[in-house]
């Protein structure tokens, strides 16, 4: 019965002369989830893109942070059921599946 209410992810690449920063913010709300992605390359203005998923499309999906937590629990228990697959949302906010 666990549910992700909010997730924040940030990636920074310090590449000269064009450092890049990518942020992904996912927040749960009454009707589903909203994903906001921001990309800033070098000194350019940040580009922002938001989109939402309804509750029906998100049913039983794992976010990337929940996926990492699940992997740690399975590793701690020293068990991995064969063919374990979960519907998920990746760090880009795309619907996908995670296979273990």
């Amino acid at each position: 019965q666990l549910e992700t209410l909010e997730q924040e992810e940030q990636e920074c690449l310090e590449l000269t002369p064009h450092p890049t920063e990518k942020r992904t913010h996912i927040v749960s709300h009454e009707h589903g989830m909203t994903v906001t992605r921001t990309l800033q390359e070098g000194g350019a203005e940040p580009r922002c893109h938001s989109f939402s998923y309804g509750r029906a499309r998100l049913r039983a999906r794992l976010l990337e942070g929940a996926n990492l937590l699940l992997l740690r629990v399975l590793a701690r228990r020293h068990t991995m059921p064969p063919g374990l697959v979960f519907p998920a949302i990746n760090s880009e906010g795309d619907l996908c599946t995670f296979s273990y």
Side-chain angles (χ1 to χ4, degrees):
Q1 297 296 329
L2 296 176
E3 180 181 352
T4 300
L5 300 177
E6 188 170 4
Q7 180 175 307
E8 183 84 29
E9 182 179 305
Q10 179 179 351
E11 289 181 51
C12 295
L13 296 173
E14 298 294 331
L15 300 173
T16 306
H18 299 289
T20 301
E21 182 176 345
K22 181 176 82 170
R23 291 177 185 255
T24 304
H25 182 247
I26 302 173
V27 65
S28 179
H29 49 78
E30 181 181 341
H31 302 290
M33 282 194 162
T34 299
V35 178
T36 303
R37 291 182 23 207
T38 305
L39 179 67
Q40 184 170 11
E41 297 176 296
E45 287 293 316
R47 292 178 294 177
C48 192
H49 175 67
S50 288
F51 50 95
S52 296
Y53 294 111
R55 287 264 176 222
R57 290 193 71 197
L58 293 172
R59 186 175 170 93
R61 291 200 180 261
L62 288 178
L63 295 181
E64 193 171 30
N67 176 49
L68 292 173
L69 179 60
L70 178 61
L71 282 176
R72 288 182 180 152
V73 168
L74 291 172
R76 186 111 167 118
R77 290 183 174 183
H78 303 288
T79 182
M80 183 67 68
L84 189 59
V85 176
F86 284 102
I89 299 175
N90 66 17
S91 62
E92 301 297 318
D94 300 321
L95 300 177
C96 64
T97 57
F98 288 138
S99 300
Y100 301 89

